[in-house]
Amino acid sequence: MDPVTLAASYSAAKVAISACKSAIETADDLSQIGGHLDAIFNSNSEVKRNKKAVEERSHNEKVIESRMSAEDGSVDDETTLAGSTRAQVAHEEHEEALNSLRKSLEARFGEGTWQAILERQKVAIAAKKKREADAREAELERQERNRKILLECAKGAGVLFCASLIAAWLYYAATSGGAIK
């Protein structure tokens, strides 16, 4: 993933984390902040929906860009020192924000809340994958059943065609006066 997309993902995650932190202060239970947590865990799709967040950069990223881009090349190139440093700084800031959120959740709702959230997410992802696999399997079975039905219909049409040819031949033979005259 290129550094710009990576930084944009982290930026969207930071926005979601700050929204979740503000919701933690007023929430009575975890269900009231579920949407904010979902936005954090799906930050890549959030980036696609929110183009404004893509363009935002942290102060540290701007400093790195201004100091290193002139001497090292484009910061959008992940092979340059500036691009690599920018991506690492964005990653570290994201990890720091997630750690801060974890601490806030555990302070508000008790020890182990963050781990319970992660476990529920894993279970939900596994269940979703199983549903998708079952749906794919059901679709394949439906396609196979339809193929068999079509094959049997083609066989039936062939038999009807042959029977109509035989009937037409017999009718012709009966009405033409016979073979011997």
Side-chain angles (χ1 to χ4, degrees):
M1 183 180 292
D2 64 288
V4 173
T5 307
L6 191 61
S9 299
Y10 291 138
S11 176
K14 283 191 260 182
V15 169
I17 288 170
S18 64
C20 188
K21 278 183 161 183
S22 65
I24 287 173
E25 296 171 6
T26 60
D28 292 330
D29 60 12
L30 285 175
S31 64
Q32 293 178 345
I33 60 169
H36 298 291
L37 291 173
D38 191 40
I40 292 168
F41 293 123
N42 295 317
S43 61
N44 284 333
S45 61
E46 181 71 25
V47 168
K48 293 175 185 173
R49 283 181 262 142
N50 188 358
K51 294 294 184 183
K52 183 179 178 186
V54 173
E55 300 300 324
E56 294 177 9
R57 293 188 184 126
S58 71
H59 172 71
N60 292 339
E61 290 172 329
K62 290 177 184 176
V63 168
I64 290 168
E65 181 178 343
S66 67
R67 288 185 182 172
M68 299 185 115
S69 63
E71 63 189 50
D72 192 35
S74 172
V75 291
D76 293 340
D77 185 5
E78 61 187 11
T79 61
T80 65
L81 183 61
S84 299
T85 305
R86 180 176 173 197
Q88 183 63 30
V89 166
H91 175 73
E92 295 295 329
E93 287 176 345
H94 177 71
E95 290 298 320
E96 183 180 324
L98 278 177
N99 192 32
S100 174
L101 176 64
R102 179 188 58 79
K103 288 178 182 177
S104 296
L105 278 168
E106 290 185 352
R108 174 83 165 122
F109 298 107
E111 190 71 29
T113 302
W114 184 253
Q115 195 60 35
I117 290 169
L118 295 178
E119 289 299 319
R120 284 184 186 220
Q121 182 191 27
K122 286 180 187 176
V123 168
I125 289 171
K128 180 181 179 183
K129 285 182 181 179
K130 183 173 180 352
R131 283 191 311 271
E132 289 172 352
D134 290 345
R136 278 192 303 273
E137 185 178 324
E139 178 64 21
L140 290 174
E141 289 174 2
R142 186 189 65 78
Q143 288 176 353
E144 180 65 21
R145 186 184 74 238
N146 288 346
R147 188 190 67 76
K148 287 181 180 179
I149 289 171
L150 183 62
L151 182 64
E152 293 302 317
C153 288
K155 288 179 186 178
V159 168
L160 286 174
F161 179 73
C162 290
S164 63
L165 284 178
I166 292 171
W169 179 72
L170 287 174
Y171 177 75
Y172 172 74
T175 58
S176 66
I180 303 175
K181 291 189 179 191

